[in-house]
Amino acid sequence: MDTEGTYDPRSTRSDHVPRPAGPPPAGAVPPRPVSAPSAPPVPPVPPGRPGEGDFLAWLRTPRNRAAPGIWAFGHRPRPPEEPDRIPGRQLLSGALIAFLCGWLLWSLLWNQYLEGWWIFVEDWWLLPMLLLVPDDWKATQGFVAVSYLYYALVLTGLAIGFGRVGNWHEVWRRYGVPLWPLFALLPGVWREMPRTASWLEFVSNLYYVLLVAAVVAVVGRAGTWPMMRQRRTAPDQAPPEPQEDPAEWPELRAAGAATAADALAADARAGRMNDVDHARISRAWQSVQARPSRLAAFVDTVRQQGAAACAHPSGARDLPVRTGRHDLRARQVRIGTTADDPRNPYAYRGAGSALDPTLLGTSVLAVGPPGSGKTAQLVRPVVEALCLQALAGQAAVVAVGAAGAALGPDEAFDVVIRIGQPDSAYDLDLYGGTADPDAAAAMLAEALVGDLAATLPGGDSRRAATALAQVLGPFRAVHGRFPAVPELRELLDGSEAALGALRSALEASGDATQLRELDARERQSGRAGDAGALLADRIALLDRPAFAGFFDPAGEGKPFSLRALEHPLRVRIDLPERGHAEASRLLARLVLAQFAECATARTDRSLFTCVVLDDATQTVTAESLRGIQRLRSANAGAVLALRTLEDVPDALRTPLLGAVGCRMAFAGVTTWDGARFAEVWGKEWVEARDITNRQIIADEPLTRVMHTVRRLVTGRAVTAESVTVRRVERERWSASELAHSVPAGHAVLSLTTVRGEHAPPVLVDLRG
């Protein structure tokens, strides 16, 4: 089936650099993957995949998107919060006291301690029964049965009355569980009970059974026993009808592709389909809906290949290993559980916390010290989720980190660039794959001197970009390519031999425009404020023996360009952090600048694309902030991880927090970092309770004596407590709370979607 080159396998072969596809025809919907080379059948879904190995159960589980950032898979919203909800401790203590009072009253009545106290009649509490039963029954066996029935009625009345007083209904509603242990134990009790046992023995045994059942129920609920957990999480509805069952692909059947739906449903029931297959084929079906002319080819491909149809160009249908929990139907990755903390909104407490492209599209900033879990609990799961979505034809990802940062195995990526390693199969295009000297100069200037822009004349890197363009343009006009790193360094240093050779070539070709650019560069060279010397010093960081053979514009080193992100690619870039820390920072800025330029310049924006920087130290500049702000409208995003906001220039810390939509403060942040987060998260109205104690001065002698005795016993004066409740405006999370109250393994996370929906900062347990 024709895909117009968008999903051709040549894009990810190790012997060919992925290249961007040409623009689609005017008015055409961008193509989606609907065919692929043959791939071997996928084995049954192993344990740890969706639905614990049951693909159909995973597929049929409802998704409830209650609020931004909530894990939608099987989510059940909490019942509405009761404003006058009785605290649990008070509720249980009141219920216990009511039970003891009822038990005491029954014991007094049964043991005849209350006989003749209020009325001078023996067995006064039996009067209703004695008045209703004829005298000639009192000597019969029926009277005994009626008596026990009456006792049961009185006991029931006491239970109902004291149950209402003790609010036992609320206790059961809040803490009760189904009485299945009772029904499981009763048959054994009946078998063990002697046939000659009296009614009293039967009641005693029944009491023991009820007591054991209550203990088992409470302990089972507190310990979340498997049977109880399965009972509570069992679906409320019967299996869906075939026309509503997603495993039967009703949308294909409704469009007349019943044969394709039958093939896919058969593979799903046989265990030959996984979550990536379902997401990938669903994506392909969206392309068919946009372009109905593809229907026949789509049906033919699916009929022949089944769940393996429309595969990713690499042929992979899953990642070699998954460390996170993913839901490709909702395109979410779970990063933790929202803590059941009073500071969290009621609807979020206990719910799963997840990220998806609608949140990543506003970009994410994560700040936390080393060891706080940024890489393992955030960066790795997000990269993994985007790689899975790339296999489904939904996304493209560029993961940037130091060598050995554990962003994923090599087999999980299509392109792995190991800068500074001779065995690297790919090289990084220093000029971003562009043929425009001005665009290449702007991206390269951002990488070379973006962190020093505030100290340059004019306060930005525009002069540096101009200086670069003055040598890049003439060089490309002569050689048909941009200069390599050593050649660029000589030109920026003002080498007479390099500039003279370039001038002679331009004069021979008669290119007056580029000759004028070169003349301007020679006039500015050596003047005060010229950026050429600084650029030469910075480019020298890449002109080292460790990088020999890299950044070759001639194409012999297979340079990879980020303009290939129009394809569903998985890219990992390993930076030479050890021994070349400054060069690594320069390259990280270069990748971020190229990504912002290439993501916004894409002709096909249907793929979500994201860059993930495991360490964004010294990569945030004024220009990169403007680029991050443009990503939201280009269906792209960025994930930036920082050890501290001190790694960002002071003037850019507040703009950075304002430019990203999702902010995450890990446990262990400093108070000055916490102050920035507290400022951006703002304040909220809360009820403040002021408690005042004042000493009571008694006037009567007896009261004074009682107060004196109480003071001698307790050691404190007798006081009266007054409570004042008022509404005040306080910070959602203060700097001190962020620095000292966030437990280890937790983080405070606020979210914003691309549609503008907000989620307030919540405390998330990243280990849950």
Side-chain angles (χ1 to χ4, degrees), residues 2 150 164 187 271 324 377 495 562 603 615:
D2 181 27
Y150 180 75
R164 288 183 177 274
Q377 305 298 337
S495 169
L562 294 186
T603 56
D615 183 6

Side-chain angles (χ1 to χ4, degrees), residues 85-419:
R85 181 183 175 94
I86 303 174
R89 182 176 179 180
Q90 179 181 345
L91 178 65
L92 294 177
S93 61
L96 179 61
I97 293 173
F99 171 73
L100 294 177
C101 291
W103 196 350
L104 176 62
L105 179 57
W106 171 254
S107 179
L108 293 176
L109 293 174
W110 182 263
N111 294 285
Q112 299 180 350
Y113 283 109
L114 298 180
E115 300 302 331
W117 280 30
W118 296 314
I119 55 177
F120 299 97
V121 179
E122 293 185 1
D123 296 335
W124 59 269
W125 65 285
L126 299 176
L127 278 177
M129 182 190 69
L130 296 175
L131 293 175
L132 295 175
V133 176
D135 293 339
D136 56 348
W137 278 31
K138 296 182 180 179
T140 63
Q141 189 68 24
F143 180 75
V144 177
V146 173
S147 299
Y148 279 107
L149 178 60
Y150 180 75
Y151 297 154
L153 292 175
V154 173
L155 187 59
T156 302
L158 291 176
I160 293 175
F162 284 96
R164 288 183 177 274
V165 173
N167 208 0
W168 272 95
H169 174 74
E170 176 65 17
V171 173
W172 181 255
R173 187 184 68 83
R174 196 181 302 183
Y175 303 107
V177 295
L179 292 179
W180 63 266
L182 174 62
F183 298 105
L185 294 175
L186 275 178
V189 175
W190 280 105
R191 287 193 300 268
E192 297 297 332
M193 182 184 298
R195 296 184 181 276
T196 60
S198 65
W199 282 98
L200 183 60
E201 291 175 346
F202 169 72
V203 173
S204 300
N205 288 329
L206 181 61
Y207 168 75
Y208 296 147
V209 171
L210 292 175
L211 181 61
V212 171
V215 172
V216 170
V218 173
V219 174
R221 181 178 179 88
T224 318
W225 288 5
M227 292 184 67
M228 294 185 177
R229 181 171 66 248
Q230 183 179 1
R231 180 71 174 266
R232 292 202 305 271
T233 59
D236 297 333
Q237 299 178 352
E241 297 295 332
Q243 62 271 20
E244 299 177 357
D245 188 358
E248 296 294 331
W249 297 84
E251 61 276 12
L252 271 68
R253 299 182 188 276
T259 56
D262 291 338
L264 295 175
D267 282 1
R269 289 190 294 268
R272 294 190 295 269
M273 178 180 289
N274 62 13
D275 55 341
V276 178
D277 296 332
H278 183 273
R280 186 185 65 251
I281 296 174
S282 298
R283 177 71 169 175
W285 176 247
Q286 294 176 7
S287 170
V288 173
Q289 289 180 306
R291 303 184 66 176
S293 59
R294 296 174 177 263
L295 178 61
F298 172 81
V299 172
D300 183 65
T301 302
V302 172
R303 188 175 61 253
Q304 294 178 8
Q305 302 181 14
C310 315
H312 186 267
S314 64
R317 296 169 60 187
D318 204 348
L319 297 180
V321 63
R322 297 190 190 187
T323 60
R325 187 177 178 187
H326 307 274
D327 182 18
L328 286 179
R329 281 201 71 186
R331 300 183 67 181
Q332 287 187 319
V333 54
R334 182 163 180 161
I335 61 173
T337 302
T338 306
D340 191 1
D341 189 277
R343 289 171 293 191
N344 287 339
Y346 177 77
Y348 281 83
R349 298 176 193 171
S353 183
L355 297 175
D356 59 68
T358 63
L359 298 170
L360 298 175
T362 63
S363 297
V364 180
L365 174 66
V367 179
S372 59
K374 297 189 303 298
T375 300
Q377 305 298 337
L378 175 66
V379 173
R380 174 69 182 270
V382 168
V383 171
E384 200 171 84
L386 293 172
C387 287
L388 288 170
Q389 293 177 32
L391 291 179
Q394 299 173 339
V397 59
V398 178
V400 183
L407 300 183
D410 293 353
E411 296 79 8
F413 296 91
D414 303 311
V415 177
V416 178
I417 304 174
R418 299 184 180 91
I419 298 178

Side-chain angles (χ1 to χ4, degrees), residues 656-671:
L656 172 61
L657 289 169
V660 298
C662 303
R663 309 169 189 95
M664 200 169 185
F666 284 75
V669 297
T670 60
T671 52

